Amino acid sequence: MASKKRLSSDERRALILTAAIAVFGAKGYVGTTTDDIARAADVSQPYVVRLFGTKEQLFLAALDETLRLLFEAFERGAGAGLDDEIEARMGHEYIGLLTVRGLHQTLSHAFLLGSHPVIGPRARDGFARVWAYLRDLGFPAERAQAFLAQGMMLNTMIGLRLADAAEVDPRITDLFAACFPTEKATVLALAPRVDEPW
Amino acid sequence: MASKKRLSSDERRALILTAAIAVFGAKGYVGTTTDDIARAADVSQPYVVRLFGTKEQLFLAALDETLRLLFEAFERGAGAGLDDEIEARMGHEYIGLLTVRGLHQTLSHAFLLGSHPVIGPRARDGFARVWAYLRDLGFPAERAQAFLAQGMMLNTMIGLRLADAAEVDPRITDLFAACFPTEKATVLALAPRVDEPW
DNA sequence: GTCTATAAGACGATAGAC
DNA sequence: GTCTATCGTCTTATAGAC
């Protein structure tokens, strides 16, 4: 059993944030305990609280990091080309974010916290920034709208953990084929499964 | 102060179920206490547990009722006409369900509980039934997919409580106009607001 | 049909040591 | 930088009365 290394505060924070996105994504803001995250990051529960102040601040940090990774991915996808090409590349990047465990679901959970006095405003601002980003990129309103809607659909299918069902339930096979005409295999390969705790 | 009437078990169950959809929608499965629902329904907390067994079973009952109302609305919207007409009517009915407090958000929360051992399977089945309903109605896969995606988008905007922001934030005004070209006024009139507890 | 009282457990946060 | 111990609170569910 390897003994644990003493890390710098920043390194430890980064590890805990990664764990937080995974666990918050799987169990939601309220459903996640600071101890869940501590165990996922292999540190003690009080230390998580010590580093981030409160569970609420930890969630805000996880949301910020999630949005940072999202815009980073969008930046990679944006660039020269026709609208169709840009949209395809950005969709591809968004699917690629499935390698960040819990990212899509952390977004979904944040977007359901609209009535939370502290998290709600931050979540609304994040969503509005995504919208503004697409529009500033030159997406016409209707296209931006459809692109976002597809993203919410992917989030939902991930949150439902529908991927295993795609292999046994013909309805779900049909659904995946319709949603991801070109990237079905990638999505099925990267999507979290029912039996994964996170 | 009006004294409370003694109701039949079925009447009381129906009242509690309505309250449960509203509160679960606003605060989520884990974030809602049985006491929250009891107070919203004006009964004692142990009585809620008595009538529904456990909080988990109560959530399942609320989800069932939510899906029942959803299919009932779809049935009203379906019927004769071109695909475009049917889709417009069904979208209209789905927006009309905003009069049922918490319905869209209860769906969203259920759809994020994919890793829950009991609720997860029921949520997946509900989603698959919605998909199958659209396909059986004759929707081509691509159209059914886009329709569902728009629904997820509406759910997200409701969960975020974006409606107030539409009146002050130009980004959000633009977003609402793009998402609801014909029904923006209805959505804004029916959407829950930030300051509503549920 | 409905309530009050309460047991039993889980959780966030603090204190303080190393 | 990181841990152990622990307090106080909240929450589900049960017991039992009316």
Side-chain angles (χ1 to χ4, degrees):
Chain A
M1 182 152 58
S3 78
K4 221 162 61 188
K5 212 182 142 196
R6 191 185 171 94
L7 299 181
S8 80
S9 187
D10 279 353
E11 288 170 313
R12 192 60 84 187
R13 276 182 70 97
L15 289 176
I16 293 175
L17 262 189
T18 300
I21 292 172
V23 183
F24 277 134
K27 323 218 310 182
Y29 173 58
V30 190
T32 295
T33 69
T34 52
D35 192 48
D36 288 334
I37 294 168
R39 276 184 280 105
D42 196 28
V43 294
S44 71
Q45 178 267 335
Y47 191 43
V48 170
V49 175
R50 170 85 90 170
L51 280 185
F52 288 89
T54 64
K55 175 176 157 178
E56 183 179 290
Q57 288 176 287
L58 173 53
F59 186 81
L60 290 176
L63 176 57
D64 283 347
E65 173 66 2
T66 292
L67 289 167
R68 194 186 67 74
L69 291 167
L70 176 66
F71 284 113
E72 205 178 88
F74 280 173
E75 283 293 305
R76 285 194 301 272
L82 302 173
D83 279 9
D84 280 341
E85 294 164 355
I86 298 175
E87 184 175 341
R89 285 201 307 266
M90 287 179 58
H92 179 75
E93 290 293 336
Y94 189 61
I95 288 170
L97 285 174
L98 283 171
T99 54
V100 182
R101 267 302 177 260
L103 183 142
H104 300 78
Q105 292 165 87
T106 293
L107 270 184
S108 294
H109 276 113
F111 291 165
L112 268 169
L113 288 169
S115 54
H116 189 288
V118 176
I119 301 173
R122 294 278 283 268
R124 278 188 287 281
D125 182 63
F127 191 81
R129 278 163 47 211
V130 171
W131 174 254
Y133 180 88
L134 296 172
R135 297 290 272 130
D136 290 348
L137 220 51
F139 275 55
E142 199 182 331
R143 179 182 282 265
Q145 196 277 323
F147 180 79
L148 250 190
Q150 300 299 322
M152 300 302 107
M153 180 79 160
L154 172 63
N155 288 5
T156 302
M157 293 170 68
I158 294 301
L160 269 172
R161 310 250 168 164
L162 269 183
D164 321 77
E167 281 140 27
V168 293
D169 184 332
R171 299 173 298 181
I172 308 301
T173 313
D174 182 47
L175 172 65
F176 269 85
C179 291
F180 312 109
T182 64
E183 312 227 38
K184 181 179 169 183
T186 311
V187 173
L188 287 178
L190 296 180
R193 300 305 171 124
V194 167
D195 60 320
E196 293 175 45
W198 50 73
Chain B
M1 179 153 59
S3 79
K4 220 163 59 186
K5 213 182 141 195
R6 190 188 173 93
L7 299 182
S8 80
S9 187
D10 281 353
E11 288 171 312
R12 191 62 81 186
R13 276 182 70 96
L15 289 176
I16 293 176
L17 223 38
T18 299
I21 292 173
V23 183
F24 277 134
K27 321 216 311 182
Y29 173 58
V30 190
T32 296
T33 69
T34 53
D35 193 48
D36 287 335
I37 295 168
R39 275 185 279 105
D42 197 28
V43 294
S44 71
Q45 178 267 332
Y47 191 43
V48 170
V49 174
R50 170 87 99 182
L51 280 185
F52 287 89
T54 64
K55 176 176 155 178
E56 183 179 291
Q57 288 177 288
L58 173 53
F59 186 81
L60 291 176
L63 176 57
D64 283 347
E65 174 66 2
T66 292
L67 289 168
R68 193 186 67 74
L69 291 166
L70 176 65
F71 284 113
E72 203 177 272
F74 280 173
E75 282 293 304
R76 285 195 301 272
L82 302 173
D83 278 9
D84 280 342
E85 293 163 357
I86 297 175
E87 184 174 339
R89 285 200 308 265
M90 287 178 57
H92 179 75
E93 290 293 336
Y94 189 62
I95 287 170
L97 285 174
L98 283 170
T99 54
V100 182
R101 265 303 176 261
L103 183 141
H104 301 79
Q105 292 167 87
T106 293
L107 270 184
S108 294
H109 276 113
F111 291 165
L112 268 169
L113 288 170
S115 54
H116 188 289
V118 176
I119 301 173
R122 294 277 284 266
R124 279 188 287 279
D125 182 64
F127 191 81
R129 278 162 49 210
V130 171
W131 175 254
Y133 180 88
L134 296 172
R135 297 290 272 131
D136 290 348
L137 220 52
F139 275 57
E142 199 182 331
R143 181 182 281 264
Q145 197 276 325
F147 180 78
L148 250 190
Q150 299 299 323
M152 299 304 105
M153 179 81 161
L154 172 64
N155 288 6
T156 302
M157 294 170 67
I158 295 301
L160 268 171
R161 310 251 168 163
L162 270 182
D164 320 78
E167 280 141 27
V168 293
D169 184 332
R171 299 174 298 180
I172 308 300
T173 312
D174 182 47
L175 173 64
F176 269 85
C179 292
F180 313 109
T182 63
E183 312 226 40
K184 181 179 168 181
T186 312
V187 173
L188 286 177
L190 297 179
R193 299 307 172 121
V194 167
D195 61 320
E196 294 177 42
W198 51 70

